[in-house]
Amino acid sequence: MKHANDLGRDPIPSLVLKLAVPTMIAQFVNVLYSIIDRMYIGNIQLIGHLALAGVGICGPIIALLSSFGTLIGLGGSILMAMKLGEGNKEKAKHILSNCFLLLILTSIFLTILFLICKDQLLIWFGTSEVTFPYADTYLTIYTAGTFFALMAMGLNYFITCQGFSTVGMATVLIGAVTNIVLDPVFIFGLHMGVAGAAIATVIAQFVSCAFAAGFLFSKRVPIRISFGNYSTAIMKKVILLGLSPFLILATDNLLLVVMNTVLQKYGGPQEGDMLISCVTIMQSYLQLITGPMVGISGGTQAIISYNYGARASARVKSAEWHILKLCLVFTAVMFLLTQIFPRYFVAVFTSDPAYQSLSVWGIKIFTLAIVPLSFQYVFVDGLTALGCTKLSLYLSLFRKFSYILAAILLPMFFGARSAFFAQPLADAVSSLQSAIVFLLVLNPYLKKHELEPLPAHVT
């Protein structure tokens, strides 16, 4: 069966667009899962702002859960794409079967673990006595559906890495549309409030999971899910390769925890919950930009991994350049739009003038360095796709360390709201470093790999 996109032969500019655009759309819609929940929750009469703060506290915990889907899905799909580039379809089949089993076992284990630990996690992540009931309700229901969320996310990587970017987009769109339709029904129609938002999300994730699994079991895809040929060696390689992107995503939660903790501490009883509610809105807006950026840089990783496996270094470099150009254009457009339209975005979350004013100001601060952030996303994900996981992890952790340092130090001297400047400061410094490191490393790394012979099993 012919691939939807030929990663080894299609022209690079069109190939980048074919993979990037669907994954951009998919990531944008994926962000809507949380944004739509928060939008409806923020408009619940009387308790909307408190419920929004509670659900905002759940965000880092949910992101932590989701990062395990990336650990297996991205790690396995990069390894699988490299094997497909080498022409070893049998090995690619074994990788998928091992990852399917890993996803099942990991999803079950995490569901049980997080249900046991959720109360303590909410306390650690900065919930207050007032917002705890809303956070606890949302997280309990969401965690119960963790299995479907992780399976949908993990399996979708194996759809995209085989060239079926539009099917990967459909996996997310089906779930998102389901979520959009069910949210108002459960939240307002059935008067279930925060619980209704969580139930709608879990149902949506089940639908996405069923679609992704059904496609990977069907004859429409060249490498299908199979059973057997389980190998601890393969599982270890998958985890080692996925460990860097997993830690990158998992440590994103630390940024949110630090920010919430700092705002609660320096904002005090009078302003702490308000600042957390506003930063939840600000982070939701930022995700509308960074989500599609992940779609551009992450959705095109299969091109880099496949051609790296095939020793096609010129195609690898061409892909990186076109991916970067696309990301720069996108972020430049979003930066300009941010100067004009954030008040309309904020208005769907809250009608309180004080909350609106602070959120609009914070959004403009958060996005000051969004254009140079393109270099960080494209180059870190590019290094991951090439298997340079230690270097990509360092570059990502440097950005997070810079963010945490600024978020802690700035409020000590300039007050709680100055913590918002940690985002652009970290983005600007880390993007410059990533660009320099990538340009120094790429050519020697590719040249060394070119000199290595293709495996004897290539057909």
Side-chain angles (χ1 to χ4, degrees):
M1 179 177 180
K2 189 181 183 296
H3 286 216
N5 296 295
D6 192 326
L7 303 181
R9 293 185 178 85
D10 288 353
I12 290 296
S14 62
L15 190 58
V16 167
L17 287 175
K18 287 177 183 177
L19 266 68
V21 172
T23 48
M24 279 178 65
I25 295 171
Q27 285 294 332
F28 175 80
V29 173
N30 196 35
V31 170
L32 292 181
Y33 272 119
S34 59
I35 290 180
I36 289 172
D37 281 349
R38 293 172 183 179
M39 179 184 71
Y40 285 123
I41 290 167
N43 285 281
I44 297 174
Q45 289 187 348
L46 302 178
I47 65 163
H49 61 289
L50 293 175
L52 182 61
V55 173
I57 295 295
C58 295
I61 303 173
I62 291 171
L64 177 60
L65 275 168
S66 300
S67 62
F68 284 92
T70 300
L71 171 66
I72 301 168
L74 184 55
S77 64
I78 288 176
L79 186 59
M80 181 172 160
M82 289 181 179
K83 295 304 175 185
L84 289 173
E86 294 174 359
N88 192 345
K89 293 184 177 181
E90 191 64 25
K91 192 70 172 182
K93 180 180 177 182
H94 294 170
I95 291 168
L96 179 54
S97 68
N98 278 269
C99 289
F100 185 63
L101 177 62
L102 268 178
L103 281 169
I104 292 174
L105 296 177
T106 302
S107 300
I108 294 172
F109 173 76
L110 290 175
T111 298
I112 297 171
L113 178 64
F114 274 65
L115 283 174
I116 293 172
C117 301
K118 63 181 177 62
D119 288 2
Q120 188 60 52
L121 286 171
L122 287 172
I123 294 171
W124 286 344
F125 279 57
T127 188
S128 66
E129 290 184 6
V130 178
T131 58
F132 180 86
Y134 306 108
D136 182 56
T137 297
Y138 189 89
L139 187 61
T140 300
I141 296 171
Y142 184 94
T143 304
T146 293
F147 179 88
F148 306 118
L150 294 189
M151 291 298 294
M153 174 178 289
L155 293 177
N156 209 29
Y157 282 108
F158 296 97
I159 294 173
T160 304
C161 84
Q162 296 188 65
F164 292 93
S165 53
T166 53
V167 178
M169 177 182 68
T171 301
V172 180
L173 288 178
I174 288 171
V177 171
T178 302
N179 193 44
I180 291 168
V181 172
L182 293 182
D183 255 338
V185 174
F186 283 105
I187 295 173
F188 301 113
L190 298 178
H191 306 289
M192 298 180 69
V194 171
I199 291 171
T201 300
V202 170
I203 293 173
Q205 289 165 342
F206 168 78
V207 173
S208 289
C209 175
F211 180 83
F215 184 79
L216 284 173
F217 272 113
S218 74
K219 295 181 179 179
R220 292 176 290 172
V221 62
I223 307 298
R224 301 191 293 272
I225 293 175
S226 59
F227 300 95
N229 297 302
Y230 300 124
S231 165
T232 54
I234 291 177
M235 294 182 185
K236 182 179 179 181
K237 286 181 181 178
V238 167
I239 292 174
L240 287 175
L241 191 56
L243 187 60
S244 174
F246 164 75
L247 290 174
I248 289 172
L249 290 174
T251 50
D252 279 342
N253 306 303
L254 182 59
L255 307 187
L256 301 179
V257 173
V258 170
M259 178 63 76
N260 288 341
T261 302
V262 166
L263 294 178
Q264 195 70 260
K265 176 181 178 180
Y266 290 97
Q270 295 182 337
E271 197 177 39
D273 285 338
M274 175 188 178
L275 289 172
I276 291 177
S277 293
C278 290
V279 86
T280 299
I281 296 172
M282 292 152 54
Q283 287 162 346
S284 297
Y285 184 87
L286 188 63
Q287 287 175 341
L288 288 176
I289 304 175
T290 58
M293 287 172 70
V294 170
I296 296 172
S297 62
T300 51
Q301 282 179 307
I303 304 173
I304 297 169
S305 298
Y306 185 100
N307 286 286
Y308 176 73
R311 276 62 169 178
S313 296
R315 287 178 63 83
V316 170
K317 289 187 280 189
S318 177
E320 281 287 358
W321 170 236
H322 284 90
I323 294 166
L324 178 61
K325 285 197 297 184
L326 181 60
C327 203
L328 286 170
V329 170
F330 171 75
T331 52
V333 171
M334 293 304 297
F335 177 80
L336 293 176
L337 292 177
T338 300
Q339 307 308 308
I340 305 170
F341 296 111
R343 63 178 64 87
Y344 302 108
F345 177 85
V346 172
V348 303
F349 287 88
T350 178
S351 58
D352 188 299
Y355 280 72
Q356 286 187 349
S357 177
L358 177 58
S359 298
V360 169
W361 175 77
I363 284 172
K364 291 183 178 181
I365 297 301
F366 262 38
T367 55
L368 282 175
I370 201 67
V371 176
L373 190 61
S374 298
F375 293 91
Q376 176 78 8
Y377 272 64
V378 172
F379 292 153
V380 169
D381 281 352
L383 289 169
T384 302
L386 292 169
C388 297
T389 53
K390 291 182 180 179
L391 185 54
S392 64
L393 178 60
Y394 160 73
L395 293 173
S396 179
L397 292 182
F398 177 85
R399 173 173 172 249
K400 292 173 174 58
F401 175 78
S402 302
Y403 179 100
I404 291 171
L405 190 64
I408 292 174
L409 292 179
L410 288 174
M412 293 174 62
F413 300 98
F414 305 107
R417 298 187 183 192
S418 67
F420 297 160
F421 286 92
Q423 183 79 48
L425 284 173
D427 291 347
V429 172
S430 59
S431 296
L432 177 61
Q433 180 185 234
S434 293
I436 293 171
V437 170
F438 184 83
L439 292 175
L440 291 174
V441 166
L442 181 62
N443 282 331
Y445 186 79
L446 291 177
K447 188 172 184 62
K448 178 182 176 182
H449 189 61
E450 282 179 350
L451 299 176
E452 298 174 0
L454 282 167
H457 53 250
V458 173
T459 58

